[in-house]
Amino acid sequence: MASRAKFQNRDAERHLKALGLSTYALTFTGLLYRGPCHAMPLSELLDGLDEVARRNKKAFQHVFIHGADDDDHDLVLLGPTQEPFTDELKAAGYDPAAVVHVGPGHVETWLRLGESVPRATRQSIAAYLNWAYGVSVLPKQGLKFGYLAGFECRAYEESLRNGHYPRIKLLEATGAVASRGRTLIETVEELDAEMRAAIECDLLEDIEAERAIAEAEEASREFDEHVAKCAAVWLGYYQGQGLHACNEIDRTEVQAAFEHDVPRDLVVEALTRAATRKGSRARAYAEATVAAVYDLGSDDPSPDLEPS
């Protein structure tokens, strides 16, 4: 056996033994290939790791491991996550059995519940824990199987200087059984309901936020259209008038707007667009002219803000 295969086999063996199953399902995938699941006893799988290494290296195939879907077992796969969150899981009583680093921003965490349960229960527990730790917010979302440690991962572009792709690293292989695994199993229905209710609430909040944004954008468009129409009418009043006459027109129009309860911000925007003769001081002129009427409620003349 080549030394490279020994190195790969060592981590693969530790990974498999930490997961604690007597039978595993092995799946190979490649760019143009997705093989069927091969269920085999642990002893047979360990004896065949040389062939696994050959397919990984020579046939460019990824190596995935999982429990047989139709069998009851206690394995739950969490992630992928950007970084390991082993400490958080341990503090909550969910000690990981194994932690695998696949590549940049891709860490997979395996839990053993300590009691064999059906696939649906495992899916619900994985979905809840992913959601609870901010890994996933969608029910039933999560990887069905994970990468087998020790072999090369071709999912990432960067390769090592010697031409080999990064090797899937086994960060932890304690084989620990989650101390609160039994609690997860007993309360799985309540946990699932809690997650779904929270997700539904978040979705409703998102819908309300999107609706509020859409309404604000529509109001802004309507406001802009109204301002444009008012400014166009205002400009029409200026035709053939001198600067002093234009100032008088502005004061008269602002007074009329005030008396008809036209919103102040609309009047300021319309006058700013119309008073192009004021140059860069158009807005200051508009604000002062409107303030003289709207703040005082009178037709006192506004300050003359003619540019010098």
Side-chain angles (χ1 to χ4, degrees):
M1 185 185 301
S3 60
R4 177 187 54 77
K6 286 183 179 179
F7 188 58
Q8 291 178 324
N9 291 359
R10 183 183 64 193
D11 274 1
E13 182 174 350
R14 290 179 59 221
H15 187 187
L16 291 167
K17 289 183 176 180
L19 300 185
L21 297 186
S22 59
T23 300
Y24 288 95
L26 196 67
T27 299
F28 296 95
T29 68
L31 290 176
L32 301 175
Y33 175 80
R34 183 179 180 84
C37 296
H38 303 279
M40 59 185 71
L42 174 61
S43 58
E44 181 180 335
L45 177 54
L46 293 176
D47 289 341
L49 285 179
D50 281 349
E51 172 60 16
V52 174
R54 186 196 67 79
R55 295 182 67 161
N56 176 237
K57 181 66 177 178
K58 302 295 185 181
F60 311 121
Q61 294 173 1
H62 293 298
V63 186
F64 294 101
I65 195 73
H66 51 108
D69 287 341
D70 296 332
D71 292 349
D72 288 0
H73 62 76
D74 73 337
L75 277 186
V76 170
L77 178 60
L78 305 182
T81 57
Q82 292 290 323
E83 300 289 342
F85 60 121
T86 306
D87 291 342
E88 294 91 329
L89 290 171
K90 286 182 177 179
Y94 309 134
D95 305 58
V99 180
V100 179
H101 182 268
V102 179
H106 190 139
V107 177
E108 298 173 353
T109 302
W110 294 88
L111 298 187
R112 294 176 60 182
L113 301 174
E115 181 178 330
S116 295
V117 293
R119 178 185 181 185
T121 301
R122 300 194 305 269
Q123 284 182 320
S124 293
I125 291 174
Y128 172 80
L129 290 176
N130 276 332
W131 168 76
Y133 287 94
V135 180
S136 170
V137 295
L138 298 177
K140 306 303 181 187
Q141 183 176 341
L143 295 177
K144 188 174 78 171
F145 44 73
Y147 286 90
L148 180 58
F151 298 98
E152 292 181 356
C153 176
R154 299 172 180 273
Y156 303 94
E157 293 295 333
E158 60 271 14
S159 61
L160 303 182
R161 290 183 178 179
N162 60 8
H164 294 299
Y165 282 81
R167 187 174 61 88
I168 298 164
K169 298 178 182 179
L170 187 62
L171 301 182
E172 289 194 35
T174 65
V177 174
S179 59
R180 294 190 62 203
R182 178 66 182 171
T183 301
L184 287 171
I185 295 171
E186 292 177 341
T187 61
V188 63
E189 293 184 0
E190 292 88 340
L191 297 177
D192 190 63
E194 174 192 341
M195 177 187 67
R196 290 178 179 276
I199 291 173
E200 182 177 354
C201 181
D202 289 342
L203 290 175
L204 290 175
E205 290 179 355
D206 289 343
I207 291 173
E208 288 298 323
E210 290 175 359
R211 180 182 293 119
I213 291 172
E215 290 175 351
E217 290 176 346
E218 178 61 23
S220 178
R221 284 193 295 270
E222 292 178 355
F223 178 81
D224 192 67
E225 291 173 0
H226 199 173
V227 167
K229 291 178 181 178
C230 291
V233 172
W234 215 312
L235 284 168
Y237 295 151
Y238 292 159
Q239 296 300 316
Q241 302 293 328
L243 292 179
H244 182 73
C246 289
N247 291 346
E248 290 296 335
I249 291 172
D250 293 340
R251 286 188 282 269
T252 299
E253 291 304 312
V254 170
Q255 182 65 35
F258 173 75
E259 293 172 356
H260 288 84
D261 297 322
V262 179
R264 177 176 183 151
D265 56 344
L266 190 152
V267 181
V268 170
E269 290 297 326
L271 180 51
T272 298
R273 296 191 189 186
T276 56
R277 67 187 187 278
K278 300 295 184 178
S280 62
R281 301 188 66 187
R283 174 166 292 277
Y285 167 78
E287 290 175 346
T289 302
V290 171
V293 175
Y294 277 66
D295 289 346
L296 302 177
S298 69
D299 57 354
D300 292 341
S302 64
D304 187 1
L305 297 177
E306 292 286 351
S308 58

